[in-house]
Amino acid sequence: MSTEKKNELTTIDSFSLVTGFEGMDDDLREELQDAMEDLDEERGIACRQIKVPSGGGKAFEVETDEPDNPDIMKEIEAVILFTHRMNSYWEGEFGTGENKAPTCSSFDAKTGLNIETGAVTNCDTCPLNQYGSDGGGKACKNIRRVYMMLSGQPSIYLLSIPPTSIKDVNKQLARIMGSNKVPYTRMVVRFTLEKAKNKDGIEYSKVVVNRAGMLPQTLFEKTAALRKELKAKYTEVAITSADYNITARTDDAGFMDVPEGAEGDLPFN
């Protein structure tokens, strides 16, 4: 079997991108949209959170219309619309009290801004972003945000990839795109979780990405447009402790056990 044939992706015709207005009467849709315009404009990207569990759990928590009643999903098939690296530093004990917004943050993992002093920092040379600045790891939390859409769901979903999975997710996405010569906005990928252990024997959940198939060609233009829209607005999305998920608050030491230089960035940032 040739490499070209082996790497060819099957089109998943059943995957659909919806707005939530499908099937509505034109007059009702116009009235609803007009009523929505009466509300204050929401900045940034309205999205639902997908959380990585703690302790090596193998199911994601996917936010629903009822925030206290998430869907529990062992695998998620989605189309990625946009992804970017992000750095965040919290002073004091992480994830406690009102300590939700980071003291310093960077949306591109290159230039950080301290919200208290206004100081601008080079993330590469910042002492807080060096291994060993927080015991065996970094005081600055390195994360990758992934914005995606699920089939038949009108919402944008946000999955924050924790530090222990960044290296693997980078490699997996680069391999998937490189071997098929297809950008992530044109394919369906499958997210799953594997149980792993750090050097201290602490179990954590590792994010795994595999290719599932191609999007129908009729959706290519729509996903490309959504990528441009999200890329223009992503810096308006507030960084809070929710980005660091449940796992990071309990297994923080485990997440920092990553060899120096192992967080190579993808070429599409």
Side-chain angles (χ1 to χ4, degrees):
M1 182 182 294
S2 68
T3 302
E4 182 178 352
K5 189 69 175 178
K6 182 178 179 180
N7 291 335
E8 186 176 344
L9 287 175
T10 302
T11 299
I12 302 179
D13 293 315
S14 60
F15 197 97
S16 62
L17 296 181
V18 299
T19 64
F21 295 110
E22 288 82 5
M24 290 185 65
D25 175 83
D26 289 343
D27 291 337
L28 177 59
R29 181 172 63 250
E30 183 178 346
E31 184 178 349
L32 176 60
Q33 290 174 331
D34 184 61
M36 293 292 287
E37 290 175 0
D38 294 340
L39 304 177
D40 293 335
E41 183 178 358
E42 186 171 350
R43 288 176 58 82
I45 303 166
C47 53
R48 295 186 176 185
Q49 297 281 342
I50 299 176
K51 291 187 176 182
V52 176
S54 61
K58 291 187 176 182
F60 297 96
E61 287 188 8
V62 182
E63 185 179 350
T64 65
D65 289 333
E66 303 176 44
D68 294 330
N69 188 28
D71 285 334
I72 306 301
M73 302 176 66
K74 289 189 174 181
E75 65 176 43
I76 297 172
E77 286 196 356
V79 55
I80 297 174
L81 300 176
F82 178 60
T83 178
H84 67 93
R85 284 289 298 275
M86 185 176 74
N87 292 341
S88 305
Y89 168 70
W90 283 265
E91 284 187 348
E93 187 176 355
F94 172 76
T96 59
E98 297 300 317
N99 193 26
K100 294 182 179 180
T103 304
C104 183
S105 59
S106 170
F107 282 100
D108 59 4
K110 297 176 182 178
T111 304
L113 174 65
N114 189 306
I115 61 173
E116 295 181 352
T117 66
V120 176
T121 305
N122 182 329
C123 292
D124 288 340
T125 58
C126 177
L128 297 172
N129 196 35
Q130 309 305 315
Y131 289 96
S133 57
D134 184 28
K138 292 183 179 182
C140 183
K141 314 304 181 186
N142 300 158
I143 305 164
R144 175 175 286 281
R145 275 179 170 175
V146 180
Y147 294 93
M148 63 183 80
M149 288 191 76
L150 282 57
S151 180
Q153 300 295 325
S155 300
I156 303 293
Y157 290 83
L158 172 59
L159 171 63
S160 295
I161 306 295
T164 40
S165 295
I166 287 179
K167 176 185 176 183
D168 289 329
V169 169
N170 281 349
K171 285 185 175 181
Q172 290 156 3
L173 285 176
R175 184 184 68 248
I176 290 170
M177 288 192 292
S179 62
N180 295 283
K181 304 299 188 291
V182 176
Y184 56 75
T185 50
R186 295 191 177 193
M187 69 173 74
V188 179
V189 296
R190 182 179 299 110
F191 291 88
T192 56
L193 294 166
E194 291 182 357
K195 183 181 289 188
K197 288 184 180 181
N198 70 354
K199 64 181 180 181
D200 296 319
I202 298 175
E203 293 184 340
Y204 65 93
S205 303
K206 183 171 70 173
V207 180
V208 178
V209 188
N210 287 296
R211 62 187 185 184
M214 285 289 293
L215 274 177
Q217 190 170 350
T218 54
L219 300 179
F220 290 175
E221 187 174 332
K222 182 180 293 187
T223 55
L226 284 168
R227 170 180 161 77
K228 289 182 179 179
E229 180 180 346
L230 292 178
K231 193 167 185 177
K233 299 174 69 174
Y234 78 100
T235 57
E236 297 177 5
V237 181
I239 300 174
T240 70
S241 55
D243 275 291
Y244 210 53
N245 285 318
I246 302 169
T247 319
R249 293 197 291 273
T250 56
D251 296 341
D252 188 46
F255 277 159
M256 295 300 100
D257 180 28
V258 184
E260 186 168 1
E263 298 179 358
D265 226 344
L266 285 171
F268 49 81
N269 263 352

